[in-house]
Amino acid sequence: MTSDQAGRIHRALDGFAIELPSWGFANTGTRFGKFVQPAAASTLEEKFSDAGQVHSLTGACPTLALHASWDLPGGAADGPATLALSRTFGVRPGSINPNLFEAQCYKFGSFGNPDETVRAAAHAHVAGCVAAARAVGSRDISLWFADGSNYPGTANIRQRRDWFVDGLRRSHALLSGDERLLVEYKPFEPAFYHTDIADWGMALLLARAAGPRARVLVDTGHHYQSQNIEQIVAWLLAEGMLGGFHFNDRRYADDDLTLGSIDPYQVFRIFHEIAHFEWETGKRADIAYMIDQSHNLKGKIEAMIQTVTTAMELFAKAAMVDHEKLAGHQTKCSLVEAESCLKDAFSSDVRPVIREWAISKGLPADPMDAFRQSGYLEKITADRGARNMSAITSYA
Ligand code: LRH
Ligand code: MN
């Protein structure tokens, strides 16, 4: 590790921030059940408190993504209380995620529902989220739609596409300042025949149709097995349409496992595409890095600390790539030399430099160990245990 490389890692980490999902601290499960954790967060205060722990230990996650119905049931009226929690726990409100999939009226869709009163209700929910975002100073409205169908012939796909263009234009028209709409795509689940926004191309065309403040959000778990995600990232960068990421990992489908637990090289390749774009263009890509995971078995806070430290390691490795040298090898089609630029960086142990960086910022060298020594988990288990363990429910 040369001092120049160490310096590049320090500068990269100084500019790195990854947003935590409030729902990652709560008791979540699968359709086959939910294993309740006594220490899990359920109130917004508890979610900010836990996020504050992770940020105070890693220095890399200053914002908390909020899900409208779960965290801001009162919409903009919840603004002042939310900002008070933000000040108390040292974490700012992040992206606002409308919930257009849980309410009974969304059985046949939200923006894509054939019933215009349901579409209007969905538009009104997003309008409420824009107002809530403004009330808490959030920039991004992060839209994911479960909309789709389960059987051939049951939906007019082109008609629904038109309704999505209309709905996204209405939502976009409500934005001001540097506010953005992030359009997230997903190939399937909960719909299993067609999903209205199923891939990056559909999300890009709809974001373009919505207006200049709309961008595409890439959830790493929302791709078919063999899709080249970093190629999609490269295209979205080239189109100026990459707005953000939901990072997680998966072996099969949208498994929402902890980042880097299955394929860390995947996240490295994504960070590399962005770092090389920024080197080539001299422009900083305006991207929101966010985590979207559900920790059904691991301790919620430990899983978050593991995720953030892994993201910092992979971001640091990507910062080590010698872009000048790589560009030369690419031009000369020196395949092995070019590939080695990435593999050498990926196989470097950046942890000692990250520890140095952390100490230089007054942060613990080992966040996980510091958390385990802190007694925080024991305290919240005592505070929340009885309530959480009395909330065990069954699926059917
Ligand atoms: C959908 C999704 C979406 C969230 C939800 C919690 O799979 O990725 O981003 O709203 O998970
Ligand atoms: Mn997501």
Side-chain angles (χ1 to χ4, degrees):
M1 177 81 67
T2 65
S3 61
D4 166 57
Q5 286 174 322
R8 279 218 307 267
I9 291 174
H10 278 244
R11 287 190 297 281
L13 293 175
D14 287 346
F16 181 69
I18 190 160
E19 182 162 294
L20 302 178
S22 67
W23 52 96
F25 294 108
N27 271 321
T28 52
T30 71
R31 60 186 169 156
F32 302 107
K34 180 194 295 189
F35 300 101
V36 171
Q37 296 185 19
S42 50
T43 66
L44 189 55
E45 175 165 4
E46 291 168 354
K47 292 167 183 173
F48 267 102
S49 175
D50 296 354
Q53 277 296 305
V54 179
H55 184 47
S56 67
L57 293 165
T58 63
C61 34
T63 56
L64 180 68
L66 303 176
H67 227 285
S69 314
W70 306 334
D71 302 320
L72 302 168
D78 293 338
T82 304
L83 290 173
L85 291 174
S86 165
R87 286 189 294 274
T88 304
F89 296 106
V91 171
R92 297 190 315 278
S95 62
I96 303 298
N97 295 255
N99 187 322
L100 295 163
F101 51 89
E102 276 187 325
Q104 291 301 309
C105 66
Y106 297 141
K107 179 177 181 179
F108 300 118
S110 62
F111 276 29
N113 195 303
D115 180 338
E116 65 181 323
T117 61
V118 176
R119 297 200 302 273
H123 301 157
H125 174 70
V126 173
C129 291
V130 172
R134 208 157 293 158
V136 298
S138 289
R139 179 188 186 205
D140 290 336
I141 306 294
S142 189
L143 287 167
W144 171 68
F145 299 91
D147 290 46
S149 67
N150 277 357
Y151 303 99
T154 59
N156 181 325
I157 295 170
R158 287 174 290 98
Q159 172 63 76
R160 294 169 72 99
R161 174 196 159 285
D162 295 348
W163 287 327
F164 267 90
V165 169
D166 171 60
L168 289 168
R169 280 193 176 136
R170 287 166 187 269
S171 305
H172 186 281
L174 302 168
L175 303 180
S176 68
D178 69 348
E179 291 167 347
R180 302 188 303 177
L181 270 189
L182 301 181
V183 180
E184 182 177 1
Y185 56 89
K186 184 175 182 180
F188 64 89
E189 189 206 38
F192 292 108
Y193 169 64
H194 102 283
T195 293
D196 288 296
I197 309 183
D199 68 21
W200 71 278
M202 297 176 199
L204 184 145
L205 291 171
L206 285 171
R208 280 247 160 87
R213 297 163 184 278
R215 296 284 183 274
V216 175
L217 186 147
V218 177
D219 185 315
T220 49
H222 293 183
H223 299 88
Y224 299 113
Q225 274 300 327
S226 57
Q227 267 186 294
N228 185 325
I229 301 174
E230 61 270 25
Q231 180 181 10
I232 294 170
V233 170
W235 271 71
L236 290 171
L237 283 166
E239 295 288 335
M241 289 299 287
L242 180 60
F245 286 93
H246 277 179
F247 283 115
N248 45 61
D249 213 333
R250 52 29 157 332
R251 185 71 197 78
Y252 301 103
D254 190 20
D255 309 349
D256 282 341
L257 302 176
T258 39
L259 180 155
S261 56
I262 305 293
D263 183 2
Y265 198 43
Q266 169 65 82
V267 178
F268 169 85
R269 296 195 305 271
I270 290 171
F271 283 149
H272 165 67
E273 276 305 326
I274 296 163
H276 201 63
F277 167 83
E278 293 182 333
W279 169 79
E280 221 171 81
T281 61
K283 276 193 313 190
R284 185 144 174 68
D286 184 5
I287 298 171
Y289 294 122
M290 301 176 276
I291 294 165
D292 180 7
Q293 294 169 186
S294 52
H295 307 121
N296 302 332
L297 303 177
K298 286 179 178 176
K300 317 268 175 196
I301 299 175
E302 290 205 354
M304 280 298 188
I305 294 171
Q306 195 189 25
T307 297
V308 175
T309 47
T310 303
M312 292 167 78
E313 285 168 24
L314 295 168
F315 195 76
K317 288 172 188 273
M320 286 185 61
V321 173
D322 182 332
H323 299 288
E324 190 98 37
K325 204 165 95 183
L326 174 63
H329 291 320
Q330 288 176 338
T331 305
K332 293 198 298 296
C333 297
S334 316
L335 306 184
V336 175
E337 289 78 3
E339 187 190 18
S340 303
C341 287
L342 271 66
K343 291 177 81 63
D344 293 352
F346 181 69
S347 53
S348 307
D349 185 358
V350 294
R351 292 172 296 182
V353 177
I354 294 177
R355 278 195 287 275
E356 257 175 41
W357 174 84
I359 292 163
S360 74
K361 302 290 176 188
L363 297 161
D366 180 338
M368 187 69 84
D369 181 58
F371 173 67
R372 289 173 176 161
Q373 307 300 328
S374 70
Y376 182 82
L377 185 59
E378 292 72 13
K379 180 181 175 317
I380 61 174
T381 302
D383 296 349
R384 306 171 188 177
R387 178 207 58 209
N388 282 337
M389 300 322 283
S390 66
I392 295 174
T393 56
S394 70
Y395 167 57

